[in-house]
């Protein structure tokens, strides 16, 4: 008896290439887009190890937990790393990037996370890209949490390595991911003696054996089920329209923010300025004396399917994340999430306005 998930014909190179082309369209890019056969950490690490080495001077912007990881990889490659840490309640500004270049004109690599699902902020990549391009540095961007939730435009912004994954706002699988690579980035890799070669981390292998060969033969058997899920997810986005998907995420962020403020009970948007808050997820600060992880556990006890989480590490004390991405970017999910948090706060002794929150979510959705 054949099984729909198991007894599939092998995926052809042409089919694989067509999925790459559709991902490239989402990024509006002419650069080479390579779909990597692993979760987004694979191209994130592969792109750093491919382009950074002992001669590299990297400006590593830390606006959440991933920046820390990128800094560690860069140091491991032998790069000199200048960390620029920004408090998690805000975004980094283009002016701060410019200042870093003034202080360290030798910077030739910039790593940045676009939107942070973990801390709820989003960075002005277009403006930062202008500064990076003026300085001629290579620009590496983690757009895993922004793709599908807000515009991601590597060509327009001068991003040389733009990594995306489907598991957040795209509402797709986590097991494959993609990176767009500029000519400059390919050249940097080709001249880097430390770049992974004949390795699962190697982007150069895909360049030499896949892209340059006209995408006729795959390097190894692809993660077929994940590739098909990626194709289905891109198809679903094409049907809804990328603009509409992004608008849904923007509405979700605005509604969550407005709803949380109206709810009261001491909850406050974690990111101070609304324009610095990510469309992919909204972070909320709990009032003094209320442990965020306890409040989330309490709220989830009524409905464990709600997209609520406490912040990671030390942030678990004071940060709640409403992960309103993908299929959860709906007014219903946001209402249920805020109601569950409101009930938990009320049972904790706080005064909350559940009706007011509901009205504010509706108004904020717009
Ligand atoms: C989600 C995410 C990733 C991928 O990491 P996972 O924790 O494995 O999902 C990478 N970068 C950013 C900014 C993310 O939000």
């Amino acid at each position: 008896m054949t099984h729909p998930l198991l007894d599939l014909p092998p995926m052809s190179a042409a089919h694989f290439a067509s999925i790459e082309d559709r991902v490239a369209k989402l990024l509006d890019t002419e650069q080479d887009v390579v779909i990597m056969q692993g979760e987004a950490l694979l191209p994130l690490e592969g792109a750093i190890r491919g382009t950074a080495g002992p001669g590299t001077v990297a400006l590593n912007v830390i606006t959440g937990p991933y920046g820390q990881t990128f800094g560690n990889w860069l140091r491991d490659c032998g790069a000199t790393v200048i960390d620029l840490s920004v408090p998690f309640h805000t975004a980094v500004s283009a002016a701060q990037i410019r200042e870093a270049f003034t202080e360290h004109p030798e910077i030739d690599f910039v790593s940045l996370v676009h939107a942070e699902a973990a801390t709820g902020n989003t960075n002005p990549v277009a403006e930062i890209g202008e500064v990076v391009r003026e300085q001629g540095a290579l620009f590496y961007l983690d757009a895993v949490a922004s793709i599908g939730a807000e515009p991601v435009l590597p060509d327009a912004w001068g991003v040389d390595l733009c990594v995306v994954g489907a598991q957040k706002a795209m509402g797709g699988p986590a097991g494959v991911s993609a990176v767009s690579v500029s000519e400059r980035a390919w050249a940097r890799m080709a001249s880097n003696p430390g770049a992974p070669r004949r390795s699962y981390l190697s982007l150069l292998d895909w360049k030499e054996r896949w892209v340059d060969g006209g995408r006729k033969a795959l390097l190894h058997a692809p993660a077929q089920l994940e590739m098909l899920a990626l194709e289905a997810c891109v198809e679903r986005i094409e049907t809804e329209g990328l603009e509409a998907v992004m608008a849904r995420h923007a509405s979700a962020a605005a509604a969550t923010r407005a709803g949380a403020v109206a709810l009261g009970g001491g909850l406050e948007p974690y990111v101070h300025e609304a324009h610095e808050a990510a469309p992919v997820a909204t972070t909320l600060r709990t009032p003094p004396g209320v442990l965020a992880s306890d409040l989330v556990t309490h709220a989830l006890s009524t409905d464990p399917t709600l997209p609520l989480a406490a912040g990671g590490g030390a942030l678990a004390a004071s940060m709640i994340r409403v992960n309103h991405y993908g299929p959860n970017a709906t007014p219903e999910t946001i209402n249920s999430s805020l109601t569950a948090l409101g009930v938990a706060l009320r049972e904790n002794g706080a005064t909350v306005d559940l009706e007011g929150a509901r009205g504010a979510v509706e108004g904020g959705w717009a």
Side-chain angles (χ1 to χ4, degrees):
M1 210 171 54
T2 61
H3 188 288
L5 294 180
L6 301 179
D7 302 309
L8 296 161
M11 174 169 275
S12 69
H15 191 180
F16 191 101
S18 76
I19 302 170
E20 281 185 336
D21 291 343
R22 287 166 87 169
V23 172
K25 260 208 192 109
L26 291 182
L27 296 169
D28 201 13
T29 184
E30 303 285 314
Q31 298 178 9
D32 292 321
V33 169
V34 179
I35 297 185
M36 299 294 281
Q37 301 297 288
E39 200 269 343
L41 286 165
L42 176 61
L44 284 169
E45 181 172 352
I48 283 183
R49 294 197 184 278
T51 50
T56 306
V57 180
L59 174 64
N60 181 49
V61 183
I62 303 176
T63 54
Y66 293 96
Q68 203 71 53
T69 303
F70 303 160
N72 291 340
W73 286 334
L74 285 161
R75 274 180 276 271
D76 193 51
C77 292
T80 302
V81 181
I82 297 147
D83 282 321
L84 170 58
S85 293
V86 176
F88 296 159
H89 66 259
T90 182
V92 71
S93 70
Q96 286 174 289
I97 305 293
R98 194 181 293 283
E99 269 168 46
F101 273 106
T102 306
E103 250 177 77
H104 307 278
E106 67 279 18
I107 290 168
D108 65 354
F109 182 102
V110 174
S111 50
L112 176 72
V113 176
H114 185 188
E116 296 272 9
T119 43
N121 42 15
T122 189
N123 296 301
V125 181
E127 291 165 38
I128 292 168
E130 268 180 48
V131 178
V132 176
R133 201 165 19 190
E134 269 170 34
Q135 305 290 334
L138 207 71
F139 192 13
Y140 164 99
L141 186 71
D142 174 351
V144 176
S146 48
I147 183 72
E150 56 192 302
V152 176
L153 302 168
D155 293 12
W157 298 343
V159 178
D160 294 288
L161 295 151
C162 183
V163 175
V164 297
Q167 72 262 43
K168 300 265 168 68
M170 287 175 68
V176 288
S177 50
V179 55
S180 68
V181 188
S182 71
E183 282 305 322
R184 267 158 35 100
W186 283 134
R188 187 90 74 107
M189 279 185 232
S191 65
N192 179 8
R197 289 172 168 83
R198 304 287 151 167
S199 155
Y200 208 64
L201 279 170
S202 176
L203 290 175
L204 273 180
D205 287 0
W206 284 89
K207 163 78 168 149
E208 289 164 7
R209 295 160 63 194
W210 172 246
V211 177
D212 290 350
R215 300 193 294 178
K216 296 284 191 289
L218 288 159
L219 273 59
H220 53 75
Q224 191 177 13
L225 292 173
E226 296 281 341
M227 289 299 294
L228 292 173
L230 176 61
E231 183 177 44
C233 132
V234 172
E235 199 161 275
R236 188 164 69 177
I237 292 171
E238 289 167 354
T239 303
E240 184 179 352
L242 179 59
E243 292 293 330
V245 176
M246 292 193 294
R248 194 156 50 75
H249 285 85
S251 290
T256 306
R257 195 175 179 88
V261 170
L263 182 67
L267 277 191
E268 283 173 9
Y270 200 96
V271 177
H272 295 183
E273 300 289 338
H275 72 272
E276 294 180 339
V280 72
T282 297
T283 44
L284 302 171
R285 187 187 284 279
T286 50
V290 177
L291 211 56
S293 51
D294 284 353
L295 196 70
V296 166
T297 303
H298 192 159
L300 287 176
S301 67
T302 59
D303 180 358
T305 68
L306 294 173
L308 296 171
L315 294 172
S318 60
M319 182 190 280
I320 293 172
R321 298 160 54 197
V322 186
N323 291 320
H324 45 63
Y325 51 72
N328 285 320
T330 65
E332 296 75 29
T333 302
I334 288 158
N335 266 323
S336 310
S337 298
L338 290 178
T339 299
L341 287 173
V343 169
L345 278 166
R346 193 164 60 193
E347 286 170 5
N348 240 359
T351 304
V352 293
D353 181 358
L354 295 179
E355 274 313 302
R358 228 164 233 291
V361 166
E362 260 155 50
W365 187 271

